[in-house]
């Protein structure tokens, strides 16, 4: 079982009628396009979905699956898969694709590592994914907090494998080393899009810094699996995506995910096009040919989708490549 759980902090979501993204209010509206048949999903009806939802409520947990309106929530919750978002629910960045609220975050909760670890142990998870908001307000970007969560989880659930999806720790010297020293099993940092689109889609980040971050993880600890993801349908060209693949392989990244970008609101970046499933298949074939250990490329692929199954496949692929399969 892999779980993605957001621990709620502070007063929660914006009040009824309040704008979720006031920092985007000045932007022109981008009408939300009707989704094609291949991107639509059925409303969840499986009884385990309700059990998972009730379990989250009983443990006073709020999932990012709900907050981000993930299209896979019905499937994942029906399998008791739900990704743990730490360090609050307010991000210091305002990326054009993201539905997380932007603003000034609250101070870190010193007890959060213990509460996360306790939840993982009680739920009996085989694999857990832990992500966070960007915390540019913190001297280390939240690196030590990530490390504390990893260590606490290891102590409470030693059989659980840990995957982290981190911010870029931009201008936070020494932060990455702190996280890597805590030895997560998988280190994921998403490039999100091609370099040309960074100024409009991911303006607070720097493409080559994110790439160097992934490269540095492998230099510091080659045993950690590295992973990164891209969104398709933002206006990127195929050749640009292929170049990003080459860049990631130059950093020895093991696992690539590619999924369709879906627009959260009229104030977010517009969907340039809905990429057809056959094109995702082409990306997967190209990426495998470039040497990734594992590739997930479908319209509904998300960073943490099928994370427990994928971790098992990563281990098997590494052993096969080493001739030990």
């Amino acid at each position: 079982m892999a779980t993605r759980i957001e621990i709620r902090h502070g007063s929660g979501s914006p009040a009824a009628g309040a704008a979720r993204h006031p920092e985007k209010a000045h932007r022109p509206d981008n009408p939300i396009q009707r989704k094609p048949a291949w991107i639509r999903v059925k409303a969840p009806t499986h009884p385990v979905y309700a059990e998972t939802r009730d379990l989250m409520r009983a443990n006073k947990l709020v999932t990012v699956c709900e907050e981000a309106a993930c299209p896979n929530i019905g499937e994942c919750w029906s399998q008791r898969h739900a990704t743990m978002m730490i360090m609050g629910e307010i991000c210091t960045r305002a990326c054009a694709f993201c539905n997380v609220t932007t603003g000034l975050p609250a101070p870190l909760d010193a007890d959060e590592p213990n509460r996360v670890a306790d939840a993982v142990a009680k739920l009996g998870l085989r694999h857990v994914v832990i992500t966070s908001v960007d915390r540019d307000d913190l001297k280390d970007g939240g690196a030590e907090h990530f490390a504390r969560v990893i260590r606490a989880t290891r102590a409470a659930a030693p059989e659980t494998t840990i995957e982290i999806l981190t911010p870029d720790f931009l201008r936070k010297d020494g932060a990455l080393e702190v996280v890597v020293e805590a030895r997560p099993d998988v280190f994921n940092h998403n490039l999100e899009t091609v370099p040309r689109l960074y100024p409009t889609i991911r303006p607070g980040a720097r493409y080559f810094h994110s790439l160097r971050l992934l490269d540095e993880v492998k230099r510091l600890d080659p045993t950690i699996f590295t992973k990164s993801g891209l969104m398709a349908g933002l206006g990127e060209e195929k050749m640009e995506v292929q170049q990003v693949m080459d860049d990631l392989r130059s950093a020895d990244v093991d696992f690539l995910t590619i999924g369709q970008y879906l627009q959260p609101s009229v104030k977010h970046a517009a969907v340039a096009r809905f990429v057809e499933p056959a094109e995702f298949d082409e990306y997967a074939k190209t990426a495998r040919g470039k040497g990734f250990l594992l590739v997930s490329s479908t319209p509904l692929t998300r960073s943490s989708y099928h994370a427990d199954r994928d971790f098992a496949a990563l281990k098997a692929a590494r052993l096969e490549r080493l001739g030990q399969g």
Side-chain angles (χ1 to χ4, degrees):
M1 190 191 307
T3 293
R4 176 170 59 209
I5 307 167
E6 177 182 327
I7 309 295
R8 180 170 293 281
H9 304 253
S11 58
S13 301
R20 183 180 179 91
H21 296 287
E23 79 286 350
K24 295 180 172 69
H26 67 283
R27 299 180 181 177
D29 287 357
N30 292 312
I32 298 177
Q33 302 177 48
R34 180 178 174 81
K35 298 180 182 68
W38 64 80
I39 205 77
R40 297 176 201 159
V41 294
K42 295 180 179 178
T45 58
H46 197 286
V48 177
Y49 170 89
E51 292 176 16
T52 303
R53 180 195 59 206
D54 293 344
L55 180 65
M56 299 304 164
R57 301 290 185 271
N59 285 277
K60 299 180 180 179
L61 305 174
V62 177
T63 65
V64 73
C65 315
E66 292 178 292
E67 293 290 317
C70 179
N72 301 317
I73 189 171
E75 176 187 351
C76 291
W77 281 28
S78 294
Q79 299 175 36
R80 292 191 176 91
H81 296 182
T83 284
M84 205 166 284
M85 191 163 81
I86 61 174
M87 297 197 285
E89 58 187 4
I90 299 177
C91 186
T92 53
R93 306 236 181 128
C95 296
F97 63 87
C98 185
N99 199 39
V100 174
T101 303
T102 300
L104 181 62
L108 293 177
D109 179 352
D111 190 50
E112 182 175 56
N114 293 326
R115 290 191 293 114
V116 169
D118 184 62
V120 171
K122 286 181 176 177
L123 290 168
L125 306 181
R126 293 193 306 267
H127 187 80
V128 64
V129 183
I130 301 165
T131 188
S132 78
V133 292
D134 275 285
R135 291 297 304 256
D136 296 313
D137 59 310
L138 301 174
K139 184 177 181 180
D140 69 348
E144 179 57 33
H145 198 76
F146 253 108
R148 287 174 181 167
V149 171
I150 294 169
R151 290 193 294 264
T153 303
R154 287 264 186 254
E159 299 302 315
T160 302
T161 49
I162 300 172
E163 178 173 333
I164 58 171
L165 172 55
T166 76
D168 59 11
F169 301 119
L170 185 64
R171 304 183 188 91
K172 307 295 182 182
D173 291 344
L176 180 64
E177 288 80 355
V178 170
V179 178
V180 171
E181 188 177 359
R183 302 205 66 216
D185 296 283
V186 181
F187 191 109
N188 184 6
H189 175 65
N190 289 331
L191 293 185
E192 308 291 9
T193 190
V194 300
R196 176 176 57 85
L197 297 179
Y198 261 55
T200 54
I201 301 302
R202 202 173 174 225
R206 301 294 180 267
Y207 176 82
F208 287 104
H209 170 81
S210 286
L211 192 64
R212 283 194 299 271
L213 185 85
L214 291 160
D215 184 66
E216 186 68 3
V217 173
K218 279 293 189 186
R219 189 191 69 79
L220 291 168
D221 189 341
T223 68
I224 295 176
F225 289 104
T226 49
K227 178 177 176 180
S228 192
L230 292 173
M231 295 175 290
L234 281 164
E236 70 287 340
E237 301 292 337
K238 286 185 181 181
M239 290 299 293
E240 292 178 303
V241 174
Q242 292 170 5
Q243 181 60 59
V244 172
M245 291 180 189
D246 288 337
D247 291 344
L248 288 169
R249 286 303 301 134
S250 72
D252 201 22
V253 169
D254 299 300
F255 185 8
L256 173 64
T257 62
I258 307 176
Q260 173 68 52
Y261 166 65
L262 297 176
Q263 184 181 343
S265 79
V266 295
K267 293 299 183 181
H268 286 79
V271 173
R273 69 185 181 103
F274 288 103
V275 179
E276 296 197 9
E279 192 169 330
F280 279 102
D281 291 342
E282 290 175 16
Y283 281 145
K285 183 177 180 180
T286 300
R288 284 192 289 268
K290 290 180 182 294
F292 289 97
L293 284 179
L294 196 65
V295 181
S296 178
S297 176
T298 72
L300 290 173
T301 289
R302 297 297 181 266
S303 289
S304 307
Y305 192 38
H306 296 159
D308 56 342
R309 183 192 70 187
D310 289 340
F311 180 69
L314 268 176
K315 291 191 294 183
R318 175 181 280 177
L319 288 174
E320 182 178 356
R321 184 166 293 183
L322 293 173
Q324 302 173 18

